[in-house]
Amino acid sequence: MNDQNNILLGPAFKSFPPQAWDMTAEEFLKTRPRLSSFQTPVLTLDRKALDHNLKSMMFWCKESGVQLAPHGKTTMAPQLWKEQLKAGAWGITLATIWQVQFARSVGINRILMANQLIDPVGLEWVAGEFLRDASFDFYCWADQIEQLELMSTVFSAAHTDRPLNVIVELGASEGRTGARTTAAAYELALAIDKAPGLQLAGVGGYEGVLSRDRTPAGLARVSAYLEALCGLHRRLNEEGLYRSSALLTVGGSAFFDLVAAHCAPEADPSGDFGTPTTVLLRSGAYLTHDSGHYAEISPLEQPGATQTLKAAIHGWTRILSNPEKDLCIFDAGKRDLPHDFDMPNPQVLLNKHREGPVADISSNQILKLNDQHGFMKGESLPIGSVVRLGLSHPCTAFDKWRLVPVIDDADQGDPEVVDLVQLFF
């Protein structure tokens, strides 16, 4: 499955040019197409920036003493998952049992499902995978004792000698899932330890819901949460509740520097001081980074950062109309571009000959998006001209596309398309 070279191109793939229809992806790429041959709007990935981000993040993790299981739900692109694994990722994080099943179908062997698995069909499938493939390494979460009965019912009757690895999720007030107190999380850990077919495998959580910025108050909330998480892990470790090894897993794409500062001292992968413990980040947006939310909040965008990230994802749109003074209507909308955190931001205007960026239009502003149209305020732009857009929050960019061209360099006027990435949502 997922032999991208043999994808047969056609109108089902948004923005691909008619001359590519009925060609395989491999045949099309051999023609060395340029981005100007694509219809607008189009979403692109930048190969140079992707490579840079892969190396930068893995180097940062290594020097910080943590491992990385990037969140695969960001891209749902097996090709990119495998690049992340090849670069040194510990495994892949996913959010739903369907995503786990799909990842298994494309050969992913180590998966952390950062969610509660209580669906009986999904539990039975995992038990069956354990019987079928001894190399399948799988973890899921729990935050309430009632969930354990549903898990245990399946696994205690599954005739597998491998228990289900369950991670206690610690949450926070007004957060998402997760036990709301360390006392409740500790009681849950005791219950996992006693439940037939289950094994306590660590402590996890998600700090990203606690702050949308890096103000002192926001950073203090995140730090307090991380200290509670580490304290819970230390207690479980000291009381001998881990039967083999442990994961301490936390960290999205916004505060992984704080995760390393608070949690990396707990890492003991060889078990030299007790239970072998891996501190595991789950950052997903680092691979493409962005030109909005993460460009402001990422630790690698802060003063003194030892590594950097580059925006590797862009939208390209065409000016359709100038119906009023200082108002441009363009041909991309909510069905094409992310808009949940911030509006896209205009970056450069290309000339019709694609000889390079002809104007910096970053002073223009996108006001809103309709389904298939966008509204841009500011300098009037020529009808038919193409604009490169910076995007914010890549997690909600990929799910609007099925096949995305990878270009050699987004800063070129007419970049070459060097690869295609298939997405599965």
Side-chain angles (χ1 to χ4, degrees), residues 105-322:
S105 76
V106 296
I108 307 300
N109 279 341
R110 179 182 273 171
I111 298 172
L112 169 60
M113 179 177 159
N115 210 343
Q116 289 70 21
L117 177 55
I118 60 172
D119 185 301
V121 176
L123 285 162
E124 289 171 2
W125 175 83
V126 171
E129 284 293 282
F130 281 4
L131 290 169
R132 189 186 68 82
D133 185 355
S135 70
F136 180 33
D137 194 13
F138 176 77
Y139 304 77
C140 66
W141 290 11
D143 68 352
Q144 290 184 282
I145 288 176
E146 291 84 351
Q147 296 159 356
L148 305 184
E149 181 179 354
L150 299 171
M151 296 175 179
S152 185
T153 296
V154 172
F155 265 78
S156 61
H159 306 295
T160 175
D161 58 359
R162 296 172 58 195
L164 178 64
N165 292 315
V166 181
I167 292 172
V168 173
E169 182 188 3
L170 180 65
S173 178
E174 300 182 5
R176 205 160 57 187
T177 52
R180 288 305 194 249
T181 66
T182 53
Y186 173 73
E187 292 300 320
L188 179 63
L190 294 177
I192 294 171
D193 185 54
K194 297 175 183 176
L198 308 184
Q199 176 174 268
L200 179 65
V203 174
Y206 177 53
E207 82 295 346
V209 295
L210 301 179
S211 181
R212 283 283 300 272
D213 55 48
R214 296 185 70 91
T215 61
L219 296 178
R221 283 194 299 273
V222 173
S223 292
Y225 169 73
L226 294 172
E227 276 302 301
L229 197 80
C230 292
L232 174 62
H233 163 71
R234 285 192 293 268
R235 182 179 183 185
L236 300 180
N237 194 12
E238 290 166 1
E239 296 186 13
L241 291 174
Y242 297 130
R243 302 305 178 187
S244 55
S245 60
L247 295 181
L248 178 55
T249 174
V250 65
S253 298
F255 304 107
F256 52 80
D257 56 333
L258 296 183
V259 174
H262 289 275
C263 301
E266 308 298 329
D268 184 16
S270 300
D272 295 333
F273 304 100
T275 302
T277 300
T278 298
V279 176
L280 190 63
L281 298 179
R282 304 188 309 277
S283 314
Y286 78 90
L287 181 59
T288 62
H289 198 43
D290 71 7
S291 304
H293 176 69
Y294 290 113
E296 294 179 357
I297 202 171
S298 169
L300 301 192
E301 292 281 359
Q302 307 310 311
T306 59
Q307 298 292 314
T308 61
L309 296 175
K310 298 179 179 180
I313 187 168
H314 297 90
W316 306 74
T317 187
R318 195 177 305 273
I319 303 300
L320 294 176
S321 175
N322 296 314

